[in-house]
């Protein structure tokens, strides 16, 4: 489920409830939920409109599970969204050294001599 906003716009404008209000979501992104059919807890990682209503993408049991809202119970608890500190600061000059895998393994394949 990449680019959820674009998917939502495309799905909503081409789906059957055209002209109606968008139904509210049962749970929020990153909210901990219980999946009745799997009898497991997980976190909501995305939503998508379908002809049956909202479909929720849930990460549970080390896999993604797609379910309708009738299969979910929201807990109201959000997963903390912590980001790692970036290695470089904005505007900092960095130097990259690109090494060809072919050159690194066989220097003669590019016509270079190591003599």
């Amino acid at each position: 489920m990449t680019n959820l906003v674009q998917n939502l716009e495309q799905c909503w404008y081409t789906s059957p409830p055209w002209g109606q209000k968008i139904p509210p979501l049962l749970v929020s992104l990153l909210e901990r939920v219980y999946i009745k059919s799997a009898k497991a807890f997980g976190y909501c990682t995305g939503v998508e409109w379908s002809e049956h209503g909202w479909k929720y993408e849930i990460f549970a049991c080390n896999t993604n599970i797609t379910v309708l809202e009738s299969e979910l119970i929201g807990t109201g608890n959000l997963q903390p969204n912590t980001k790692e500190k970036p290695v470089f600061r904005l505007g900092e000059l960095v130097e990259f050294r690109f090494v060809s895998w072919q050159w690194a393994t066989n220097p003669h394949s590019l016509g270079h001599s190591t003599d």
Side-chain angles (χ1 to χ4, degrees), residues 74-93:
T75 64
N77 297 328
L78 297 179
Q79 178 183 22
N81 189 10
T82 56
K83 301 285 182 185
E84 291 182 23
K85 185 176 178 180
V87 177
F88 306 108
R89 291 189 311 257
L90 183 62
E92 183 177 352
L93 182 62

Side-chain angles (χ1 to χ4, degrees), residues 11-113:
C11 292
W12 182 253
Y13 290 116
T14 60
S15 61
W18 173 258
Q20 299 177 13
K21 291 186 177 185
I22 297 176
L25 295 173
L26 176 68
V27 297
S28 299
L29 290 177
L30 300 178
E31 182 176 339
R32 185 171 178 172
V33 297
Y34 180 74
I35 308 166
K36 298 175 191 175
S37 58
K39 296 182 180 175
F41 283 94
Y43 288 94
C44 179
T45 59
V47 293
E48 184 176 31
W49 182 255
S50 75
E51 62 186 48
H52 303 292
W54 289 117
K55 288 192 309 186
Y56 295 83
E57 189 77 13
I58 309 299
F59 183 76
C61 306
N62 292 323
T63 189
N64 285 324
I65 302 171
T66 304
V67 296
L68 294 171
E69 69 179 19
S70 61
E71 288 294 316
L72 293 179
I73 299 173
T75 64
N77 297 328
L78 297 179
Q79 178 183 22
N81 189 10
T82 56
K83 301 285 182 185
E84 291 182 23
K85 185 176 178 180
V87 177
F88 306 108
R89 291 189 311 257
L90 183 62
E92 183 177 352
L93 182 62
V94 294
E95 182 179 329
F96 291 95
R97 186 169 62 166
F98 297 99
V99 177
S100 168
W101 177 82
Q102 186 177 19
W103 169 253
T105 58
N106 185 0
H108 297 288
S109 64
L110 295 178
H112 296 282
S113 174

